[in-house]
């Protein structure tokens, strides 16, 4: 069923590139590996993007280095971004989570445009409440049914 969804919604466009947002956590690393496995079947290239929120010091730097090294070892084009989420939150009156999401999505959008990526893939699970709500809202606006939305999220 999931491969039918890939074709129905042209998620892995032939001749195009998908930019995968990768934090270094299990969800996004799994998504990246899955895209790399399926990309050749659909004639789609994959690139990775990591955004360092500047909130976790050395641990955030270590996550970035992990993703960069993994991508280098698997010949995946890698793009890194960095921002001061705490300052952006204070400046705009956002929560830290909202600021992180806004800066990360801006980075992903800019990077996708710069490299000509036709899609941006992000990994979410049902525990990612705010992003799941946002994803469901977007999918409902483009008239994707609830069962299909659940299949895309899970």
């Amino acid at each position: 069923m999931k491969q039918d969804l890939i074709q129905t919604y042209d998620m892995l466009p032939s001749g195009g590139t998908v930019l995968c947002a990768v934090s270094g956590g299990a969800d996004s690393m799994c998504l990246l590996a899955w895209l790399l496995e399926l990309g050749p079947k659909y004639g789609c290239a994959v690139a990775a993007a990591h955004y360092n929120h500047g909130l976790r010091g050395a641990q955030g730097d270590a996550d970035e280095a992990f993703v960069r090294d993994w991508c280098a070892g698997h010949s995946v084009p890698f793009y890194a971004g960095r921002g001061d989420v705490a300052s952006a939150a204070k400046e705009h009156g956002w929560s830290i989570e909202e600021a992180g999401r806004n800066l990360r999505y801006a980075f992903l959008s800019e990077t996708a445009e710069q490299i000509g990526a036709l899609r941006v893939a992000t990994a979410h699970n049902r525990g990612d409440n705010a992003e799941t709500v946002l994803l469901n809202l977007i999918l409902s606006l483009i008239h994707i049914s609830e069962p299909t939305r659940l299949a895309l999220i899970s």
Side-chain angles (χ1 to χ4, degrees):
M1 177 175 168
K2 293 198 193 302
Q3 290 188 359
D4 292 338
L5 291 173
I6 291 169
Q7 291 172 321
T8 299
Y9 297 105
D10 196 26
M11 294 175 170
L12 300 176
S14 180
T17 297
V18 173
L19 180 64
C20 183
V22 186
S23 67
D27 290 353
S28 63
M29 293 302 297
C30 182
L31 175 61
L32 179 58
W34 184 70
L35 289 171
L36 290 171
E37 181 180 321
L38 289 179
K41 176 181 178 181
Y42 292 91
C44 181
V46 177
H50 175 85
Y51 188 77
N52 187 327
H53 296 83
L55 295 171
R56 299 183 307 121
Q59 183 59 52
D61 295 342
D63 289 344
E64 181 178 335
F66 168 74
V67 176
R68 181 185 312 274
D69 292 348
W70 193 95
C71 288
H74 292 82
S75 301
V76 177
F78 174 78
Y79 303 89
R82 178 177 293 261
D84 187 344
V85 170
S87 292
K90 187 174 181 177
E91 178 182 340
H92 297 286
W94 296 330
S95 69
I96 292 291
E97 183 178 86
E98 184 179 18
R101 185 172 45 253
N102 290 341
L103 294 179
R104 180 173 64 254
Y105 283 177
F107 161 70
L108 292 170
S109 177
E110 291 167 10
T111 303
E113 186 175 333
Q114 288 171 359
I115 69 169
L118 299 176
R119 305 285 185 272
V120 174
T122 61
H124 299 286
N125 62 56
R126 289 191 180 118
D128 297 334
N129 293 331
E131 292 186 7
T132 299
V133 169
L134 180 62
L135 180 62
N136 273 316
L137 176 62
I138 292 167
L139 293 175
S140 68
L141 290 174
I142 58 174
H143 309 292
I144 296 178
S145 69
E146 178 68 17
T148 303
R149 279 183 274 172
L150 292 174
L152 290 170
I153 293 169
S154 61

